[in-house]
Amino acid sequence: WSGLRVVHGEATPAGGKPVWIGNPSPILLEGAAHRGHVLLVCSRDNKNVLVLRSTDSGASFSKPIDISAQVVAKTWQYVATGPAHGLQLASGRLLVCCDHSTSADPNSRHIPGASTAIRSHSMWSDDFGAHWSVSDSLENGDECAIAVATSNGSLLMQMRQSTGNSTLKQRQFSTSTSGGSSWSAPSTGSFPYVEGSNDCEASMVRLPDTDATRLIMAAPHHKAGRLNMTVFALDEHAQGGGRWRAVKQVDAGASGYS
């Protein structure tokens, strides 16, 4: 790996607060016409959504383009992209999972059932990032949504559960058969593990192999908080659709986003 470098940053306004650029969601574009192209979607102060583009495999990036008018509803007071990767689907569609709230108050965003509670959604582009659209909101969705394409062509989104019972939480999942323009109601059904009060983002990818198509997810796995980074697996072709199972402890100590 090369050394770390800043892709985009903004100066702190005079007398103001630092500008927060975060929740990056990169997408490596496929196809001969876009070889070496990377789209980087990110949030600005959890108010705006920006897109940066690289045509040299990430060695350099363009200045950001603000696409908030296309993907941020006027009633939203908070929006976050990703984090972790976005997707390019077999159709060519680009997809990034996000979350939002109609409240700027962090406390009100975590009240179960409240109209201000955080909700998940996805944003997509069918012209390689020139124009974007958003899905409907997942009423019981939550932060840190990440999607993967499954072996049957549908999409699977997983979300941390930062609302609800403060000491007993489970990761949630939603599916889409429309390329991310609509999603099923979130469910915890395939993930049997209870998480602690300090819930966390988890990364998720699909790994095809000779025996089965396997989904891999990495997340902290401890009821006391963000500890014990663990890899989970779901074998899609298992009888009954399979369930997530813990397959590898990466580190028993303090853990976080992956």
Side-chain angles (χ1 to χ4, degrees), residues 89-232:
L89 307 184
S91 64
R93 170 172 287 187
L94 309 182
L95 181 83
V96 176
C97 290
C98 314
D99 60 86
H100 66 274
S101 172
T102 56
S103 174
D105 176 16
N107 293 322
S108 68
R109 294 200 296 263
H110 299 282
I111 300 175
S115 61
T116 54
I118 287 179
R119 288 166 167 77
S120 297
H121 68 280
S122 60
M123 52 179 276
W124 74 87
S125 171
D126 287 329
D127 54 12
F128 300 100
H131 302 89
W132 294 83
S133 301
V134 296
S135 71
D136 292 337
S137 300
L138 278 73
E139 293 301 319
N140 292 311
D142 215 321
E143 289 183 312
C144 303
I146 300 173
V148 295
T150 63
S151 58
N152 65 7
S154 65
L155 297 171
L156 179 68
M157 181 194 295
Q158 58 94 354
M159 301 148 277
R160 62 188 276 194
Q161 186 181 2
S162 61
T163 59
N165 188 308
S166 61
T167 59
L168 192 65
K169 300 180 181 180
Q170 285 184 272
R171 196 162 296 279
Q172 299 185 107
F173 298 84
S174 176
T175 58
S176 173
T177 58
S178 61
S181 58
S182 61
W183 295 88
S184 67
S187 169
T188 62
S190 64
F191 192 77
Y193 304 100
V194 173
E195 300 181 331
S197 58
N198 201 355
D199 52 287
C200 188
E201 175 265 4
S203 58
M204 184 171 65
V205 295
R206 181 166 68 93
L207 298 180
D209 57 40
T210 57
D211 298 321
T213 300
R214 177 171 292 182
L215 304 183
I216 298 293
M217 180 168 61
H221 179 40
H222 201 288
K223 292 182 180 180
R226 292 183 176 179
L227 301 165
N228 191 32
M229 178 58 72
T230 300
V231 172
F232 302 87

